[in-house]
Structure formats: C-alpha cells, structure tokens
Amino acid sequence: MRPAWALLGLCCLIWRVTGGPSGDFCSQIHNSGVKPGFPKTIKTNDPGVLRAARHTVERFNNCSNDIFLFKESHVNSAMVQIVKGLKYMLDLEIGRTMCKKTRHPSLDKCDFQTNHTLKQTFGCYSEVWVIPWLHEIDVPVLHCH
Ligand SMILES: *[C@@H]1O[C@H](CO)[C@@H](O)[C@H](O)[C@H]1NC(C)=O
Ligand SMILES: *[C@@H]1O[C@H](CO)[C@@H](O)[C@H](O)[C@H]1NC(C)=O
C-alpha cells in the first residue's frame, strides 16, 4: 500500500506541474470551497470504482501474454478526481482465474485459480479516466508487480 500511495503522490505532483494551469491552479483552490480537480478518497465499493477496477483488469488482460484471464480480487483504496470527466486512481489486487483467454468468457463467471502452481496475484496501481458524455474510458496508467 505504501509504494502505491507514494506513487500516487508523485503522479499528482507531476500532474500539477505539467497539466495544471500553474498560477491559476493555486488561486482556484484558494478562492473556491469546492476545490475542483482535487483528488479525493472514495469508498472502495462505489459502483464507479468497481467499474474502474473491471476496466483495469480488461486492460491488463489485453496487454498480458498469460493464457488465463485475470480478475480484480480486492480494491485496497481509491481516489477520484474531476478532470474532464472522472479520473479514478486505484490501488487494487488482481488474481489469475481458471478462464482461458482464448475462450473470451465473461469475467463474472471466472473463478480464481485453486491450483497452487497456477495461483498468481499482483498488486496494481491504475488510473482510469471516464468521460461519460463521450462514452470514453481509458486506462492511461497501469503498474502491476
Ligand atoms: C481489450 O481488447 C478488446 C478487443 O480487442 C477491446 O474490445 C477492449 O475495448 C479492450 N479493452 C481495454 C480496456 O483496452
Ligand atoms: C496444477 O497445475 C499444474 C500445471 O498446469 C499441473 O501440472 C498440475 O497437475 C495441477 N495440479 C492439480 C492438483 O490440478
């Protein structure tokens, strides 16, 4: 959990430096009680968080060479930030399922591996960007270890 939050801090710092309108950004925060664009902690069972977690594993599965699909097993913590839509920042765990990738089954029907040789879990940090009015969902950041 520590490394992910350290990373999160770093990412927000970078975002502020590179993406934020530097001077205005600070005065905006100072003047407004709403604090637009500030990341805030959100419940890990929030429907938006669960959808973001699912998008994270879909991206992971698209990028992995594993013959089995992975599925989200636990969301440790989540933050959300308003940036042209919603940007979720997740610290989650994913695990290998018994579903083979080639069969393209729905992840809901996939159970986690029970075979000790095949069992595998990863801790991941992901950023999932949802722009509802464009029906766009992107996973610009995904680190698993
Ligand atoms: C994964 O790949 C499938 C098929 O190529 C695509 O439909 C889907 O949008 C991709 N998902 C993500 C999260 O990249
Ligand atoms: C677990 O998986 C390994 C590798 O596929 C296989 O050789 C082994 O027989 C499996 N064990 C059980 C108990 O199914």
Side-chain angles (χ1 to χ4, degrees):
M1 199 153 152
R2 279 271 165 73
W5 285 115
L7 188 65
L8 188 62
L10 184 67
C11 99
C12 297
L13 193 68
I14 291 165
W15 183 85
R16 270 183 228 175
V17 171
T18 59
S22 45
D24 293 340
F25 186 69
C26 297
S27 54
Q28 234 176 34
I29 289 163
H30 195 73
N31 294 336
S32 153
V34 189
K35 298 184 181 177
F38 224 72
K40 65 178 176 73
T41 305
I42 184 173
K43 280 189 182 150
T44 54
N45 62 356
D46 179 275
V49 169
L50 298 180
R51 274 194 298 274
R54 181 52 60 93
H55 285 294
T56 299
V57 288
E58 280 172 3
R59 169 53 61 91
F60 179 90
N61 288 331
N62 272 17
C63 301
S64 87
N65 293 321
D66 207 281
I67 59 167
F68 295 99
L69 290 169
F70 277 69
K71 188 164 110 171
E72 71 279 11
S73 54
H74 188 246
V75 179
N76 299 318
S77 60
M79 292 188 97
V80 68
Q81 183 179 19
I82 297 165
V83 194
K84 283 194 277 178
L86 293 173
K87 190 162 113 184
Y88 293 94
M89 286 150 274
L90 308 181
D91 175 4
L92 76 165
E93 277 155 37
I94 67 172
R96 188 185 271 139
T97 69
M98 295 196 272
C99 292
K100 288 216 170 115
K101 234 185 205 178
T102 45
R103 301 229 181 124
H104 295 292
S106 158
L107 268 181
D108 290 324
K109 295 184 183 127
C110 295
D111 295 321
F112 291 107
Q113 284 284 353
T114 50
N115 182 327
H116 286 287
T117 316
L118 293 172
K119 248 187 199 173
Q120 183 158 32
T121 58
F122 290 116
C124 300
Y125 169 75
S126 73
E127 292 180 7
V128 181
W129 197 6
V130 183
I131 310 175
W133 58 90
L134 294 179
H135 301 288
E136 239 178 62
I137 296 157
D138 194 15
V139 186
V141 178
L142 175 58
H143 302 297
C144 295
H145 58 263

